[in-house]
Amino acid sequence: MSVKGAETLWYLYMIRCHNGHLYTGVTTDISRRLKEHQAGGAKAAKYLRGKGPLALAYSEEVGDRSQALKREIAVKKLTKKQKLLLISSAS
């Protein structure tokens, strides 16, 4: 949680499904969000349901929510090859 007057940090993340597909999203807490996706409940992305096991493939600190959403759009426009290069460059 953020303290009043303080900025909350947002993160971009990519999750790899068992079939190799990549899911991109944004959050303020990567470990919590990954657990939500893995649980497959109401807070999980519909796209990821039934595609487990899931693994965190990539994450980056983005800044505020606006910057995170803009970065998410940019990454979602990348080809799979470009996304894999991004993932490998962070390792």
Side-chain angles (χ1 to χ4, degrees):
M1 291 278 156
S2 66
V3 178
K4 191 170 187 172
E7 284 290 318
T8 301
L9 283 177
W10 282 76
Y11 300 87
L12 172 100
Y13 64 92
M14 279 193 267
I15 293 176
R16 187 185 315 272
C17 303
H18 74 87
N19 60 6
H21 290 180
L22 293 169
Y23 172 84
T24 304
V26 295
T27 186
T28 57
D29 185 342
I30 295 172
S31 61
R32 173 191 50 82
R33 193 67 182 122
L34 181 59
K35 288 176 189 172
E36 289 172 352
H37 288 311
Q38 289 172 328
K43 292 190 176 188
K46 289 180 183 178
Y47 177 81
L48 294 175
R49 292 183 190 160
K51 294 186 178 166
L54 306 174
L56 182 65
Y58 177 79
S59 67
E60 70 180 57
E61 187 178 295
V62 182
D64 64 20
R65 184 171 186 262
S66 175
Q67 292 170 321
L69 293 172
K70 288 174 185 172
R71 178 69 174 142
E72 179 185 20
I73 290 167
V75 170
K76 284 183 173 183
K77 288 181 180 179
L78 297 176
T79 64
K80 184 169 183 178
K81 185 176 180 179
Q82 290 170 321
K83 290 176 187 178
L84 292 172
L85 282 172
L86 179 64
I87 291 167
S88 66
S89 70
S91 300

